Each structure stands twice: as structure tokens, then as C-alpha cells.
Amino acid sequence: MNENPPPKISKLLWLLLMLAVMTIYILLVARLIDALFAGNIIMELISYILAGIIWVFPAKKIMFIINRTDTDNGDQ
């Protein structure tokens, strides 16, 4: 039988770092949008939608890096 190896500790550290960075991003963006567009609900809504889309691209790249598999040992 072919058993999967346990996850590496580095994956856990990357995920914790990503959660920390995302939390900081959310706090900064919320503060910035509130400071720039206070009182204008339409601009706030548009800004939050854009900020919600923008974070996906760096997160996607990081997730691909975390989940890549290196098969240099010759097993296929």
C-alpha cells in the first residue's frame, strides 16, 4: 500500500504566516477604506468588493507554493 507521508511542519508555518498576513491585510484595508470613504456607502461597498478580490491573487500563489510536490526521488 502507498501511504501518504505526514504533512511537513513548514506547511503549517506557511499557513500560520498566511493567516497572520491576511489578518493584518483585512485590518489595514478596513481602516483605510473607512478613513477614505466615510459616509459614502457606495464607494465603501465598491472598495470592499475590490479588496476582497485583490487578496485572492497573492493567496493563490502562496497556496500553490505550499502545496507543490517535489518528486526528485525518482518514484512515480
Side-chain angles (χ1 to χ4, degrees), residues 11-27 55 59 62-63 66:
K11 284 187 179 185
L12 178 63
L13 293 175
W14 273 106
L15 290 174
L16 290 174
L17 177 66
M18 188 172 159
L19 282 173
V21 170
M22 285 177 57
T23 302
I24 293 169
Y25 172 77
I26 290 168
L27 293 173
W55 74 267
I62 292 170
M63 293 304 286
I66 292 171

Side-chain angles (χ1 to χ4, degrees), residues 4-53:
N4 293 333
K8 295 180 182 179
I9 192 75
S10 63
K11 284 187 179 185
L12 178 63
L13 293 175
W14 273 106
L15 290 174
L16 290 174
L17 177 66
M18 188 172 159
L19 282 173
V21 170
M22 285 177 57
T23 302
I24 293 169
Y25 172 77
I26 290 168
L27 293 173
L28 287 175
V29 166
R31 183 76 167 164
L32 182 65
I33 290 172
D34 186 45
L36 292 175
F37 303 115
N40 190 344
I41 193 72
I42 300 299
M43 289 301 292
E44 282 187 34
L45 181 63
I46 292 169
S47 298
Y48 280 119
I49 290 171
L50 288 174
I53 293 171

Side-chain angles (χ1 to χ4, degrees), residues 60-72:
K60 180 180 171 184
K61 184 172 180 150
I62 292 170
M63 293 304 286
F64 277 128
I65 291 170
I66 292 171
N67 291 318
R68 72 173 179 218
T69 56
D70 297 326
T71 56
D72 294 335

